[in-house]
Coordinates of all heavy atoms in Angstrom, one line a residue:
R1 N 80.0 111.6 28.0 CA 78.9 110.8 28.2 C 78.9 110.0 29.5 O 77.8 110.0 30.2 CB 78.8 109.8 27.0 CG 77.5 108.9 27.1 CD 77.4 108.0 25.8 NE 78.4 107.0 25.8 CZ 79.4 107.0 25.0 NH1 79.6 108.0 24.1 NH2 80.3 106.0 25.0
K2 N 80.0 109.5 29.9 CA 80.1 108.8 31.2 C 79.9 109.7 32.3 O 79.2 109.3 33.3 CB 81.5 108.1 31.3 CG 81.7 106.9 30.4 CD 80.7 105.8 30.7 CE 81.0 104.6 29.8 NZ 80.0 103.5 30.0
L3 N 80.4 110.9 32.3 CA 80.2 111.9 33.4 C 78.7 112.3 33.4 O 78.2 112.5 34.5 CB 81.1 113.1 33.2 CG 82.6 112.8 33.4 CD1 83.4 114.1 33.1 CD2 82.9 112.4 34.8
H4 N 78.1 112.5 32.3 CA 76.7 112.9 32.3 C 75.8 111.7 32.8 O 74.8 112.0 33.5 CB 76.3 113.3 30.9 CG 76.6 114.8 30.6 ND1 77.8 115.2 30.1 CD2 75.8 115.9 30.8 CE1 77.7 116.5 29.9 NE2 76.6 117.0 30.4
E5 N 76.2 110.5 32.4 CA 75.3 109.4 32.8 C 75.5 109.0 34.2 O 74.6 108.3 34.8 CB 75.7 108.2 31.9 CG 75.3 108.4 30.4 CD 75.7 107.2 29.6 OE1 76.5 106.3 30.1 OE2 75.4 107.2 28.4
T6 N 76.6 109.3 34.9 CA 76.9 108.9 36.3 C 76.2 109.9 37.2 O 76.5 111.1 37.2 CB 78.4 108.9 36.5 OG1 79.1 108.1 35.6 CG2 78.7 108.5 38.0
P7 N 75.2 109.4 38.0 CA 74.6 110.3 39.0 C 75.6 111.0 40.0 O 76.4 110.3 40.5 CB 73.6 109.4 39.7 CG 73.4 108.2 38.8 CD 74.7 108.1 38.1
A8 N 75.5 112.3 40.1 CA 76.4 113.0 41.0 C 76.1 112.9 42.4 O 77.0 112.8 43.3 CB 76.5 114.4 40.5
A9 N 74.8 112.9 42.8 CA 74.4 112.9 44.2 C 74.9 111.7 45.0 O 75.5 111.9 46.1 CB 72.9 113.1 44.3
P10 N 74.7 110.5 44.5 CA 75.2 109.3 45.3 C 76.7 109.3 45.4 O 77.2 109.0 46.5 CB 74.8 108.1 44.4 CG 73.6 108.6 43.6 CD 73.9 110.0 43.3
A11 N 77.4 109.8 44.4 CA 78.9 109.8 44.5 C 79.3 110.9 45.5 O 80.2 110.6 46.3 CB 79.5 110.1 43.1
L12 N 78.7 112.0 45.4 CA 79.0 113.1 46.4 C 78.7 112.6 47.8 O 79.4 112.9 48.8 CB 78.3 114.4 46.0 CG 78.5 115.5 47.0 CD1 79.9 115.9 47.0 CD2 77.6 116.8 46.5
A13 N 77.5 112.0 48.0 CA 77.1 111.5 49.3 C 78.2 110.5 49.8 O 78.5 110.5 51.0 CB 75.8 110.8 49.2
R14 N 78.7 109.6 49.0 CA 79.6 108.6 49.4 C 80.9 109.3 49.8 O 81.6 109.0 50.8 CB 79.9 107.6 48.3 CG 80.9 106.6 48.6 CD 80.5 105.8 49.9 NE 81.5 104.8 50.3 CZ 81.6 104.3 51.4 NH1 80.8 104.7 52.4 NH2 82.5 103.4 51.7
V15 N 81.4 110.3 49.1 CA 82.6 111.0 49.4 C 82.4 111.7 50.7 O 83.3 111.7 51.6 CB 82.9 112.0 48.3 CG1 84.1 113.0 48.7 CG2 83.3 111.3 47.0
L16 N 81.3 112.4 50.9 CA 81.1 113.1 52.2 C 81.0 112.1 53.4 O 81.4 112.4 54.5 CB 79.8 113.9 52.1 CG 79.9 115.1 51.1 CD1 78.5 115.9 51.1 CD2 81.0 116.1 51.5
E17 N 80.4 111.0 53.1 CA 80.3 109.9 54.2 C 81.7 109.5 54.6 O 82.0 109.4 55.8 CB 79.6 108.7 53.7 CG 78.1 108.9 53.8 CD 77.3 107.6 53.2 OE1 78.0 106.8 52.6 OE2 76.1 107.5 53.4
L18 N 82.6 109.3 53.7 CA 84.0 108.9 54.0 C 84.7 110.0 54.8 O 85.4 109.8 55.7 CB 84.7 108.6 52.7 CG 84.3 107.4 51.9 CD1 85.1 107.3 50.6 CD2 84.5 106.1 52.8
V19 N 84.4 111.3 54.4 CA 85.0 112.4 55.1 C 84.5 112.5 56.5 O 85.3 112.7 57.5 CB 84.7 113.7 54.3 CG1 85.1 114.9 55.1 CG2 85.4 113.7 53.0
V20 N 83.2 112.4 56.7 CA 82.6 112.5 58.0 C 83.0 111.3 58.9 O 83.3 111.5 60.1 CB 81.0 112.5 57.9 CG1 80.4 112.5 59.3 CG2 80.6 113.8 57.2
D21 N 83.0 110.1 58.4 CA 83.4 108.9 59.2 C 84.8 109.0 59.7 O 85.1 108.5 60.7 CB 83.2 107.6 58.3 CG 81.7 107.4 58.1 OD1 80.8 107.9 58.8 OD2 81.4 106.6 57.2
G22 N 85.6 109.6 58.9 CA 87.0 109.8 59.4 C 87.3 111.1 60.1 O 88.5 111.4 60.4
D23 N 86.3 111.9 60.4 CA 86.4 113.2 61.0 C 87.3 114.1 60.2 O 87.8 115.1 60.8 CB 87.0 113.0 62.5 CG 85.9 112.9 63.5 OD1 84.8 113.1 63.2 OD2 86.3 112.5 64.7
R24 N 87.4 113.9 59.0 CA 88.1 114.8 58.1 C 87.4 116.1 58.0 O 88.1 117.1 57.7 CB 88.3 114.1 56.7 CG 89.1 112.8 56.7 CD 90.5 113.0 57.3 NE 91.2 111.7 57.2 CZ 92.4 111.6 57.8 NH1 93.0 112.6 58.4 NH2 93.0 110.4 57.7
H25 N 86.1 116.1 58.1 CA 85.4 117.4 58.0 C 85.7 118.3 59.1 O 85.8 119.6 58.9 CB 83.9 117.1 57.9 CG 83.3 116.5 59.2 ND1 83.8 115.4 59.8 CD2 82.3 116.9 60.0 CE1 83.1 115.1 60.8 NE2 82.2 116.0 61.0
Q26 N 86.0 117.8 60.3 CA 86.5 118.7 61.4 C 87.9 119.2 61.1 O 88.2 120.4 61.5 CB 86.4 117.9 62.7 CG 85.1 117.4 63.1 CD 84.1 118.5 63.5 OE1 84.5 119.7 63.6 NE2 82.9 118.2 63.7
E27 N 88.7 118.4 60.5 CA 90.0 118.9 60.2 C 89.9 120.0 59.1 O 90.7 121.0 59.2 CB 90.9 117.8 59.6 CG 91.2 116.7 60.6 CD 92.0 115.6 60.0 OE1 92.5 115.7 58.9 OE2 92.2 114.5 60.7
V28 N 89.0 119.9 58.2 CA 88.8 120.9 57.2 C 88.3 122.2 57.9 O 88.7 123.3 57.5 CB 87.7 120.4 56.1 CG1 87.3 121.6 55.2 CG2 88.3 119.3 55.3
L29 N 87.3 122.0 58.8 CA 86.8 123.2 59.5 C 88.0 123.9 60.3 O 88.1 125.1 60.3 CB 85.7 122.8 60.5 CG 85.1 123.9 61.4 CD1 84.5 125.0 60.5 CD2 84.1 123.3 62.3
S30 N 88.8 123.1 61.0 CA 89.9 123.7 61.7 C 90.9 124.5 60.8 O 91.3 125.6 61.1 CB 90.7 122.6 62.5 OG 89.9 122.0 63.4
A31 N 91.1 123.9 59.6 CA 92.0 124.6 58.7 C 91.3 125.8 58.2 O 92.0 126.9 58.0 CB 92.3 123.6 57.5
A32 N 90.0 125.8 57.9 CA 89.3 127.0 57.5 C 89.4 128.1 58.5 O 89.5 129.3 58.2 CB 87.9 126.6 57.1
L33 N 89.2 127.7 59.8 CA 89.2 128.7 60.9 C 90.6 129.4 60.9 O 90.7 130.6 61.2 CB 88.9 128.1 62.2 CG 87.4 127.6 62.3 CD1 87.2 126.8 63.6 CD2 86.5 128.8 62.3

């Protein structure tokens, strides 16, 4: 119930913001390459 009631989009947006602000997304891209 808690997982269904919790909106996923804001939580995912916050996680991605933290990743982008710390340049972690570039590290992920480098690892993928």
